Amino acid sequence: MKKIIIFILLLLLVIFMAYQFGLVGFLTDISGLRAYLEGLGWWGYVIFILLSVVVAVFLLPGQFLAIVGGLAYGGFLGGLLTIIGASLGASISFIIGKYVAREYILTRFGSDPTFQKIERGVKENGISFLVFTRLVPVFPFAIQSYAYAMTPMSVKKFSLISFLTMMPASFIYAFMASEIASKGVSMTLLIELTIAGILLALLAYLPKRISKKINQLNSEYKKD
């Protein structure tokens, strides 16, 4: 109970401070955030990663961070920083949900349709469901980490799969932003984005296909 109260107070404090001191506005001001990060040199990398962690843990609106990373640091480095920050944030959120604020989250969100669908999806499809929801934004990204913390999934498994599955989108968004900033919108870019979208769709389809194949093999093995 003590951990829950501390977590709630900390969450409310951070959200209040974020709005009070303009952090939310700062995160959504892409041009201003880009200029700020560029002027910090190496410290900008650290701050960018920390911003990604804060956004993930406290459910702040940080959907533009990958784009800002691409604008400020280019496609490769921006994508790399994005995936590092997003993975750390997701893992920390998962740990908080699993070990610190589990009872509060169950009480507050246990009846939420998103939580129930994720719990049912993991129960019926296992790891392939996590892979699918990370590759395809079926559910709000920020809330997924807390929802998966309510399942029997381990921290190690969740962190590794989250890192691998969030990597394609992180690099695609950063690359897209970098290309548009340097070259503008072109037919070549549109073709590249189309190919990237097809690859993401295929990546999202594979886990389900593999899971079905494994289930079929298991059924045949049991019959024999």
Side-chain angles (χ1 to χ4, degrees):
M1 190 63 186
K2 185 178 179 180
K3 289 181 179 179
I4 295 174
I5 293 173
I6 293 173
F7 173 75
I8 295 172
L9 291 175
L10 181 62
L11 179 62
L12 292 174
L13 177 62
V14 171
I15 292 175
F16 172 77
M17 296 288 283
Y19 279 95
Q20 188 72 18
F21 292 97
L23 178 59
V24 173
F26 175 67
L27 291 175
T28 54
D29 180 9
I30 296 179
S31 59
L33 183 56
R34 175 191 178 187
Y36 178 74
L37 291 171
E38 285 180 331
L40 291 174
W42 284 93
W43 276 106
Y45 303 159
V46 177
I47 291 176
F48 183 85
I49 291 173
L50 290 177
L51 280 176
S52 300
V53 172
V54 169
V55 161
V57 172
F58 295 102
L59 309 179
L60 296 175
Q63 60 267 39
F64 300 120
L65 281 177
I67 296 174
V68 173
L71 291 173
Y73 301 118
F76 177 74
L77 184 55
L80 182 62
L81 294 173
T82 298
I83 188 59
I84 291 173
S87 298
L88 284 174
S91 298
I92 292 171
S93 299
F94 185 87
I95 292 170
I96 290 174
K98 202 168 193 67
Y99 301 111
V100 179
R102 183 178 179 83
E103 294 303 320
Y104 167 74
I105 292 173
L106 282 173
T107 303
R108 178 68 178 82
F109 300 107
S111 59
D112 185 274
T114 297
F115 272 64
Q116 293 178 352
K117 287 177 182 177
I118 288 177
E119 185 177 10
R120 186 166 62 251
V122 172
K123 187 176 181 181
E124 295 174 356
N125 302 287
I127 298 302
S128 62
F129 191 77
L130 170 60
V131 176
F132 174 75
T133 55
R134 282 309 199 198
L135 289 172
V136 181
V138 179
F139 306 114
F141 176 78
I143 201 174
Q144 283 188 38
S145 301
Y146 290 108
Y148 280 110
M150 302 300 103
T151 71
M153 194 175 297
S154 67
V155 176
K156 182 179 179 180
K157 191 175 292 184
F158 173 83
S159 299
L160 178 60
I161 293 174
S162 292
F163 174 79
L164 293 175
T165 51
M166 290 190 295
M167 189 180 298
S170 297
F171 279 103
I172 287 172
Y173 292 145
F175 170 78
M176 176 184 69
S178 176
E179 287 292 295
I180 292 175
S182 59
K183 303 176 183 177
V185 179
S186 64
M187 183 58 66
T188 302
L189 177 61
L190 292 176
I191 293 173
E192 290 172 344
L193 292 178
T194 301
I195 294 172
I198 293 172
L199 290 175
L200 281 177
L202 290 174
L203 285 172
Y205 171 76
L206 282 176
K208 190 173 182 179
R209 182 68 178 174
I210 293 171
S211 179
K212 284 183 177 180
K213 190 66 176 177
I214 291 173
N215 290 334
Q216 288 175 359
L217 291 174
N218 288 336
S219 299
E220 292 175 2
Y221 176 77
K222 289 178 181 179
K223 288 179 181 179
D224 295 338

